[in-house]
């Protein structure tokens, strides 16, 4: 089922939805051996003589997660025909590196956002405190750079270190736009490119680098990752106002409580009447919120079609991600990457 088709159906066929939802599981199954090796590398690199580090690491591992970013590195390497030796599996080590970068940013984000849930469980900062979360996040960043150094490729280090800097810039830019309803949509897209899409892009590109593929294939995979990451974050922002809390894995309405500027809010505010805009100014710009505000916000977002607007934009990015793969010959792994892009949007239904 195409991405666009999945958005236009009011009641999508259950079998089709299950097929889309199984796309990520299929990708994981296809890369099972590589992912198991990656998970072993992650656990091994989380070890430390300082007890709190492996304890907090065990909490993160127990929380699970899709491991989408390391999967993208492994899948990209496979798509490009990378042939590892038993002694030297660069794609596995770099997939673990990508996950460490991602996890470090999550630890720091949860402290900044004062989040209490992550993937449906108590967040690390809620269990271990803010200081431990920040410091273990620093440890994981350091581990990621050790893995980059061990790989020995300056090109890989340039790609992943640049992505790390861009993530930090994206988070700072998000903080700068917080509580500001005048934020242009283009600035919001710049934020999500920094905080999410940049690492997706880097994760994909290094797969082509380890396979020593030409620049055109590197760029195609970077484009795939960028567009996939944009779609992924747009859907996440939509889910914050549309999902069941147990499905979402975090508290519904967190973005509103934190005054975050996301496309659902921008779309609802701009499509609403004067009374609606006054409501958004109160809850987002001044931060004056009551228990009744979240239900009203959800009502306004539904009435103005803001979720649909957000998902339509996500669909455009998902379709661009799929188009970027056209340079590669047909294969099972290519099909799985295409289906992963479709899944990214369909998970909002």
């Amino acid at each position: 089922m195409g991405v666009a088709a999945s958005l236009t159906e009011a009641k999508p066929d259950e079998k089709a939805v299950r097929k889309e939802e199984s796309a990520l599981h299929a990708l994981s199954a296809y890369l099972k051996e590589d992912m198991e090796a990656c998970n072993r590398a992650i656990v091994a690199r989380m070890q430390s003589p300082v007890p709190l580090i492996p304890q907090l690491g065990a909490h993160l591992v127990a929380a699970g997660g899709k491991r989408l970013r390391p999967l993208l590195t492994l899948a990209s390497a496979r798509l490009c025909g990378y042939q590892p030796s038993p002694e030297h599996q660069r794609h596995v080590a770099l997939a673990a590196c990508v996950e460490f970068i991602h996890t470090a940013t999550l630890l720091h984000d949860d402290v900044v956002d004062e989040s209490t849930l992550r993937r449906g469980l108590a967040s690390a900062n809620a269990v271990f405190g803010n200081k431990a979360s920040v410091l273990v996040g620093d440890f994981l960043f350091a581990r990621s750079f050790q893995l980059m150094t061990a790989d020995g490729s300056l090109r890989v280090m340039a790609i992943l270190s640049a992505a790390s800097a861009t993530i930090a810039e994206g988070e700072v830019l998000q903080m700068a736009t917080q509580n500001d309803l005048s934020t242009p949509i283009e600035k919001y897209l710049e934020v999500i490119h920094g905080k999410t899409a940049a690492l997706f892009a880097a994760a994909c590109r290094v797969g082509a680098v380890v396979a020593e593929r030409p620049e055109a294939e590197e760029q195609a995979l970077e484009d795939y990752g960028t567009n996939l990451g944009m779609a992924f974050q747009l859907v996440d922002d939509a889910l914050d106002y549309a999902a069941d809390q147990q499905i979402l894995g975090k508290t519904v309405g967190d973005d509103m409580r934190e005054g975050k500027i996301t496309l659902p809010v921008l779309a609802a505010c701009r499509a609403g009447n004067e009374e609606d805009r006054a409501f958004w100014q109160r809850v987002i710009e001044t931060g004056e919120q009551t228990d009744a505000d979240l239900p009203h916000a959800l009502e306004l977002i539904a009435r103005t079609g803001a979720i649909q607007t957000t998902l339509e934009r996500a669909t455009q990015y998902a379709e661009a991600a799929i188009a970027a793969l056209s340079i590669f010959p047909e294969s099972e792994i290519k099909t799985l990457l295409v289906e992963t892009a479709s899944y990214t949007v369909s998970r909002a239904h």
Side-chain angles (χ1 to χ4, degrees):
M1 181 174 66
V3 181
S6 72
L7 289 178
T8 56
E9 295 176 357
K11 295 182 179 179
D13 178 78
E14 289 185 8
K15 290 183 179 179
V17 170
R18 283 199 299 271
K19 179 181 178 182
E20 296 292 359
E21 289 177 344
S22 70
L24 203 53
H25 297 293
L27 184 63
S28 298
Y30 186 81
L31 298 167
K32 182 180 178 182
E33 289 186 8
D34 284 347
M35 272 308 299
E36 288 175 349
C38 179
N39 287 332
R40 289 193 297 270
I42 289 169
V43 171
R45 289 285 181 160
M46 279 186 174
Q47 298 309 307
S48 167
V50 180
L52 183 58
I53 292 174
Q55 287 171 11
L56 198 150
H59 176 82
L60 296 172
V61 171
K66 301 178 183 69
R67 293 269 200 270
L68 177 54
R69 293 154 187 84
L71 265 175
L72 291 174
T73 297
L74 299 172
S76 297
R78 183 73 64 92
L79 180 68
C80 290
Y82 176 61
Q83 297 293 331
S85 67
E87 300 80 21
H88 197 47
Q89 300 196 355
R90 296 176 65 194
H91 66 318
V92 169
L94 292 175
C97 174
V98 166
E99 182 65 8
F100 279 141
I101 294 171
H102 174 55
T103 305
T105 63
L106 292 186
L107 286 170
H108 291 165
D109 289 351
D110 284 346
V111 171
V112 171
D113 296 339
E114 300 180 351
S115 300
T116 58
L117 283 179
R118 169 65 64 182
R119 295 166 180 161
L121 299 176
S123 59
N125 54 303
V127 175
F128 296 93
N130 288 340
K131 293 179 181 179
S133 291
V134 169
L135 294 173
V136 174
D138 292 344
F139 172 84
L140 295 181
F141 263 130
R143 278 290 194 243
S144 74
F145 277 86
Q146 286 180 324
L147 285 163
M148 290 181 222
T149 303
D151 180 73
S153 167
L154 286 176
R155 183 144 173 67
V156 164
M157 181 171 283
I159 292 167
L160 292 175
S161 62
S164 300
T166 301
I167 293 167
E169 289 171 343
E171 295 293 348
V172 173
L173 185 58
Q174 177 172 262
M175 185 176 65
T177 61
Q178 197 160 319
N179 308 108
D180 185 2
L181 289 168
S182 68
T183 300
I185 290 176
E186 292 73 19
K187 183 66 70 176
Y188 159 76
L189 295 174
E190 185 181 343
V191 167
I192 67 173
H193 174 269
K195 63 179 279 189
T196 301
L199 187 57
F200 275 66
C204 292
R205 184 157 198 150
V206 296
V209 173
V210 299
E212 299 181 345
R213 301 305 299 164
E215 170 69 22
E217 292 186 17
E218 282 188 32
Q219 188 60 57
L221 280 166
E222 179 176 319
D223 291 344
Y224 172 81
T226 297
N227 286 291
L228 181 67
M230 296 294 288
F232 187 90
Q233 189 59 55
L234 280 160
V235 172
D236 257 17
D237 290 347
L239 287 173
D240 198 74
Y241 290 95
D244 180 276
Q245 182 167 310
Q246 290 183 325
I247 296 172
L248 186 58
K250 65 177 183 178
T251 309
V252 172
D254 269 352
D255 287 352
M256 188 186 85
R257 279 183 282 270
E258 294 161 13
K260 285 184 179 177
I261 300 301
T262 62
L263 189 53
V265 168
L266 291 176
C269 185
R270 293 172 188 186
N273 57 34
E274 188 174 340
E275 183 181 347
D276 297 340
R277 286 190 288 275
F279 167 80
W280 289 116
Q281 286 168 354
R282 175 173 63 80
V283 299
I284 297 294
E285 295 198 330
T286 68
E288 297 176 7
Q289 299 181 15
T290 69
D291 291 341
D293 287 334
L294 179 58
H296 186 57
L298 298 180
E299 177 188 334
L300 292 182
I301 281 176
R303 173 160 59 79
T304 56
I307 296 298
Q308 185 69 13
T309 297
T310 303
L311 294 182
E312 286 172 356
R313 182 74 69 119
T315 298
Q316 293 170 8
Y317 282 112
E319 290 176 343
I322 292 169
L325 296 178
S326 62
I327 190 175
F328 297 99
E330 296 305 314
S331 64
E332 186 174 359
I333 189 65
K334 177 181 174 179
T335 298
L336 289 170
L337 286 169
V338 167
E339 290 176 351
T340 296
S342 296
Y343 156 81
T344 296
V345 178
S346 70
R347 67 197 175 103
H349 294 268

